[in-house]
Amino acid sequence: GAVVSQHPSWVICKSGTSVKIECRSLDFQATTMFWYRQFPKQSLMLMATSNEGSKATYEQGVEKDKFLINHASLTLSTLTVTSAHPEDSSFYICSVPQRGVYGYTFGSGTRLTVV
Amino acid sequence: AQTVTQSQPEMSVQEAETVTLSCTYDTSESDYYLFWYKQPPSRQMILVIRQEAYKQQNATENRFSVNFQKAAKSFSLKISDSQLGDAAMYFCAYSTERGAQKLVFGQGTRLTINP
């Protein structure tokens, strides 16, 4: 089956710094990847759709300049949280559409804590 | 826009008994997919079951089955012979092959299994 690797699994950073999160599709090429954010005891909220070779599509209310997405290859998408603040602390998850059977594979998530 | 609603924030069931989690959705599409995902404390998203809207037959995966009522836009999950390992957050989700194919989640239901 499809395998998606997400790194790091957790990160602590100081307020004002930037953090990069990677999402890799290990065994198939993905022209599209999705980034979600999940606050404690809440659901997954789609932040943006990452498109290989073109600009990401952001959901309404998501700051494009704060959450930079780069999909530079068919197996890698990165989410950079710029000038992080404590309110950016959350759980970030990537998702990749599967080939063959319609569905999605999720990364293991990244817990970001901004202090 | 498509929406998914889970009206039960929490549910509990005795071990070995049956529980049903509710989900309703709103869409103007005729072809779409519905999913139930499980999120244990590890926060890894695990696919429980998938239903294609064009299929009238309800999907079944071992102890997990759905009651898909397309006209009513209802998609409930039944867990039979509940096990301690079933304790988790359960999310109902919707997607369509049209457009960005993004996955839209409901609010989630926290399921507790009582031994």
Side-chain angles (χ1 to χ4, degrees):
Chain A
V3 179
V4 174
S5 174
Q6 186 174 341
H7 291 281
S9 56
W10 61 271
V11 59
I12 302 174
C13 71
K14 291 185 177 180
S15 186
T17 62
S18 296
V19 174
K20 180 183 287 187
I21 302 169
E22 293 188 347
C23 180
R24 291 183 184 272
S25 174
L26 297 184
D27 54 356
F28 67 99
Q29 296 178 336
T31 56
T32 301
M33 296 185 182
F34 301 98
W35 287 97
Y36 291 85
R37 179 168 56 184
Q38 184 180 31
F39 290 109
K41 298 185 179 181
Q42 293 189 22
S43 185
L44 283 74
M45 298 300 297
L46 181 65
M47 299 176 64
T49 302
S50 175
N51 304 301
E52 189 271 335
S54 64
K55 292 182 179 180
T57 304
Y58 290 83
E59 295 298 303
Q60 191 173 7
V62 177
E63 299 177 59
K64 301 178 182 181
D65 294 334
K66 167 168 276 299
F67 300 101
L68 299 181
I69 291 173
N70 183 18
H71 196 149
S73 77
L74 287 170
T75 59
L76 174 64
S77 174
T78 60
L79 167 66
T80 301
V81 183
T82 63
S83 186
H85 291 284
E87 57 265 31
D88 298 324
S89 298
S90 188
F91 190 68
Y92 294 87
I93 310 175
C94 69
S95 171
V96 180
Q98 295 175 342
R99 293 185 307 179
V101 179
Y102 188 87
Y104 303 82
T105 300
F106 287 82
S108 55
T110 298
R111 183 184 304 276
L112 170 63
T113 302
V114 184
V115 297
Chain B
Q2 293 85 5
T3 58
V4 179
T5 303
Q6 293 177 249
S7 58
Q8 306 156 315
E10 297 184 352
M11 291 283 284
S12 63
V13 64
Q14 289 294 126
E15 190 177 4
E17 296 194 344
T18 296
V19 64
T20 299
L21 308 184
S22 301
C23 172
T24 58
Y25 58 94
D26 186 25
T27 183
S28 58
E29 300 284 344
S30 57
D31 292 328
Y32 50 87
Y33 296 82
L34 296 165
F35 305 84
W36 278 99
Y37 282 93
K38 170 184 178 180
Q39 188 181 43
S42 68
R43 304 189 82 167
Q44 175 70 56
M45 297 294 287
I46 301 168
L47 176 66
V48 175
I49 201 163
R50 168 182 40 230
Q51 175 79 43
E52 295 90 338
Y54 65 85
K55 289 186 177 180
Q56 292 186 337
Q57 186 173 6
N58 289 324
T60 300
E61 289 287 343
N62 300 315
R63 297 182 296 107
F64 300 88
S65 62
V66 298
N67 183 3
F68 173 49
Q69 300 291 327
K70 191 172 184 179
K73 296 181 181 176
S74 172
F75 183 61
S76 61
L77 174 69
K78 185 171 79 171
I79 305 175
S80 303
D81 186 25
S82 298
Q83 301 176 359
L84 294 178
D86 296 333
M89 280 291 291
Y90 285 81
F91 293 100
C92 178
Y94 165 100
S95 179
T96 174
E97 288 185 286
R98 285 180 177 272
Q101 300 182 17
K102 55 189 179 183
L103 197 57
V104 178
F105 287 90
Q107 302 91 327
T109 297
R110 179 171 300 280
L111 178 64
T112 301
I113 311 295
N114 300 313

